[in-house]
Amino acid sequence: MIDTGASHLFITQRALSTLYHSAVSSCSRIAQLGDGHTQLKILGEVQLLLKFDQVFTPLKAFVVKTLNTDFILGDDWCNHNAVQIDYEKNQVSIRSPTGRVFIPYDKFIDHLTLDVKLVDSVKIPPREAATVQAKIELSSADTVYFHPDLTTQVEKSILLSPSLLNIKNYTTYLEIYNPDDYTRHLPMNTFLGRITHAPHHIQSFPLFESSDCTLSSARQHHFINTLDLTSCATTTETIDKLLDHITNLQDKNEIQRILQQHIQVFDVSKVTQAHTPIQHTINTGDSLPISSRPYPRTIQQRRELQDEIQKMMQNNQIRPSTSPWSSTVIIHKKPDGGIRFLVDYRKLNAVTKKDSFPQRTTEELLHRLGGHQFYSKLDLNSGYFQLPIHEADKEKTAFITQDGL
């Protein structure tokens, strides 16, 4: 690969091992990559002879462990050989004793692929999805296209979606779904698929294409699954800021690794639901269904309510209902002009059997906190929506508006 933005020549250990070459001299330099923050350790220097058509040009290259390509010809080689690139004819030429020598080049990089593998082993509960960290031999990229490996999906009985991924410091995050009724274990370095160059205008991809999908369970799980690059980058920046005060580099890296493994937990840009086998039940005994009439609304209030309901429908927080139960909706205006969506469940609460769980007093809590130096708290975003409700009791949570249930 010719890269006029690179100041030197680089070759990977893998590519060098296939060549006859002189001895590699040791080197302890660090190269700064074009993204402005990723560093590349240089393992040594080696003298090579490059054949350009029928012309041989000597060069000195830095040896590195990995790159997104095997060999990079940098700006120093281009200047020394008076390289010219003809973009109209797709050819490169260099100076030689007998005149300029021309060879064609391939400007399309879609065929260049890199493997995507798991960083750590992971266990995925039955019929759940897990966000995992994967490693790639590419330092950084705003957008690449991920091609899941069909063989891995069949052998491991998992589902992966073609996705747009963001790469930072040789790692990325993607989602794996377990469609079975028992836990799936994926060991470290599991091959997940490959990435290729993706045009910037592409926004999303369908999970499966009928022509090349043979998983029987795949047809039951058609959904669009692309990563929100903005939210992922924002969450990573938030985690980095949380660690700014840690001066011990080893401690900082260890904590960062733990937080990055659970990055989805810290992403509050989208609505999520807790993954837990414990579901909330609403024990109404033998009570008959409770129903209420909707409150009257102005045309503007109905529009605002419809917009809010549509958002919750898109986030899979609610669904259309034919339940005999119904509770009324209350709209509360926020200071910023928005609305807070509330449901009046007082009638439902009146016929629900209560749990007699003891509520700790303030004095007891303060006594338990005394004598400690470190404190932590757990706060869920949209907490009430985080709790899964037992399927048999979901109809009891139905709410009614002037537009129906």
Side-chain angles (χ1 to χ4, degrees), residues 300-301 304-305 307-308 311 331-341:
Q300 180 60 31
Q301 288 175 333
E304 292 176 342
L305 190 57
D307 289 342
E308 198 67 23
K311 291 178 184 177
I331 295 179
H332 176 71
K333 279 286 185 181
K334 295 180 181 179
D336 60 2
I339 67 169
R340 189 183 303 279
F341 187 92

Side-chain angles (χ1 to χ4, degrees), residues 106-136:
D106 186 0
K107 66 178 180 180
F108 298 104
I109 62 173
D110 300 53
H111 64 278
L112 298 177
T113 62
L114 295 173
D115 292 350
V116 180
K117 298 180 180 179
L118 273 181
V119 172
D120 297 305
S121 61
V122 62
K123 291 183 178 180
I124 308 177
R127 299 194 178 278
E128 290 190 12
T131 299
V132 300
Q133 187 179 30
K135 58 185 178 181
I136 306 166

Side-chain angles (χ1 to χ4, degrees), residues 4 7 9-10 18 30 52 62 75 83 102 115 119 145 162 166 174 201 207 294 301 304 312 333 338 340 347:
T4 56
S7 58
L9 286 76
F10 298 91
T18 64
I30 298 294
F52 189 95
F62 288 129
D75 188 57
V83 171
F102 298 84
D115 292 350
V119 172
Y145 180 30
N166 174 258
L174 47 85
H201 65 276
L207 177 60
Q301 288 175 333
E304 292 176 342
M312 291 190 290
K333 279 286 185 181
R340 189 183 303 279
K347 289 184 179 181

Side-chain angles (χ1 to χ4, degrees), residues 25 88 93 160-161 170 173 189 220 223 339 344 351 359 362:
S25 59
E88 291 185 359
S93 65
L160 288 156
S161 66
Y170 298 95
Y173 294 87
N189 291 323
Q220 304 173 14
F223 57 91
I339 67 169
D344 187 357
V351 298
Q359 181 70 31
T362 303

Side-chain angles (χ1 to χ4, degrees), residues 15-299:
L16 187 62
S17 65
T18 64
L19 305 175
Y20 292 103
H21 59 85
S22 60
V24 178
S25 59
S26 61
C27 180
S28 59
R29 296 177 61 179
I30 298 294
Q32 187 83 20
L33 298 187
D35 58 11
H37 59 81
T38 305
Q39 293 185 334
L40 189 65
K41 184 179 180 180
I42 297 173
L43 306 177
E45 289 182 278
V46 63
Q47 296 283 347
L48 297 172
L49 199 61
L50 175 66
K51 184 179 180 182
F52 189 95
D53 194 22
Q54 300 301 318
V55 179
F56 289 90
T57 62
L59 54 84
K60 179 186 293 185
F62 288 129
V63 183
V64 295
K65 184 176 182 180
T66 59
L67 281 173
N68 63 333
T69 187
D70 288 330
F71 188 41
I72 292 180
L73 293 170
D75 188 57
D76 52 351
W77 179 83
C78 294
N79 289 332
H80 180 74
N81 294 279
V83 171
Q84 294 181 359
I85 302 176
D86 190 332
Y87 296 101
E88 291 185 359
K89 296 181 179 180
N90 294 336
Q91 60 184 13
V92 179
S93 65
I94 67 170
R95 181 178 54 203
S96 77
T98 59
R100 301 201 67 83
V101 177
F102 298 84
I103 63 170
Y105 72 84
D106 186 0
K107 66 178 180 180
F108 298 104
I109 62 173
D110 300 53
H111 64 278
L112 298 177
T113 62
L114 295 173
D115 292 350
V116 180
K117 298 180 180 179
L118 273 181
V119 172
D120 297 305
S121 61
V122 62
K123 291 183 178 180
I124 308 177
R127 299 194 178 278
E128 290 190 12
T131 299
V132 300
Q133 187 179 30
K135 58 185 178 181
I136 306 166
E137 293 185 0
L138 181 63
S139 60
S140 62
D142 289 333
T143 308
V144 293
Y145 180 30
F146 171 64
H147 305 257
D149 182 66
L150 185 58
T151 302
T152 299
Q153 293 184 85
V154 173
E155 291 179 351
K156 303 294 185 181
S157 190
I158 58 174
L159 298 179
L160 288 156
S161 66
S163 308
L164 292 176
L165 301 181
N166 174 258
I167 300 174
K168 183 177 181 181
N169 199 22
Y170 298 95
T171 60
T172 188
Y173 294 87
L174 47 85
E175 193 170 77
I176 303 177
Y177 179 72
N178 175 14
D180 290 329
D181 294 324
Y182 46 88
T183 300
R184 281 290 174 189
H185 175 260
L186 302 178
M188 181 190 303
N189 291 323
T190 296
F191 174 66
L192 302 177
R194 293 180 174 86
I195 60 166
T196 60
H197 165 75
H200 295 291
H201 65 276
I202 296 179
Q203 299 298 322
S204 62
F205 297 88
L207 177 60
F208 295 106
E209 297 176 5
S210 57
S211 60
D212 58 357
C213 178
T214 59
L215 287 175
S216 60
S217 58
R219 297 180 178 86
Q220 304 173 14
H221 300 281
H222 282 260
F223 57 91
I224 298 296
N225 180 26
T226 56
L227 297 186
D228 185 343
L229 306 181
T230 303
S231 65
C232 184
T234 302
T235 307
T236 301
E237 291 172 0
T238 301
I239 291 176
D240 290 341
K241 290 180 181 178
L242 292 173
L243 303 176
D244 281 345
H245 66 286
I246 302 178
T247 56
N248 186 297
L249 186 59
Q250 183 176 355
D251 292 345
K252 186 174 183 177
N253 291 337
E254 180 66 19
I255 296 175
Q256 185 180 43
R257 186 183 67 83
I258 295 173
L259 296 182
Q260 290 285 3
Q261 287 178 346
H262 305 280
I263 190 171
Q264 192 176 28
V265 176
F266 300 94
D267 183 8
V268 295
S269 64
K270 53 189 175 184
V271 177
T272 58
Q273 189 180 84
H275 296 294
T276 170
I278 302 174
Q279 297 182 329
H280 177 61
T281 59
I282 306 173
N283 186 2
T284 56
D286 55 359
S287 172
L288 295 175
I290 301 297
S291 60
S292 305
R293 293 178 59 85
Y295 293 137
R297 311 281 182 196
T298 65
I299 294 178

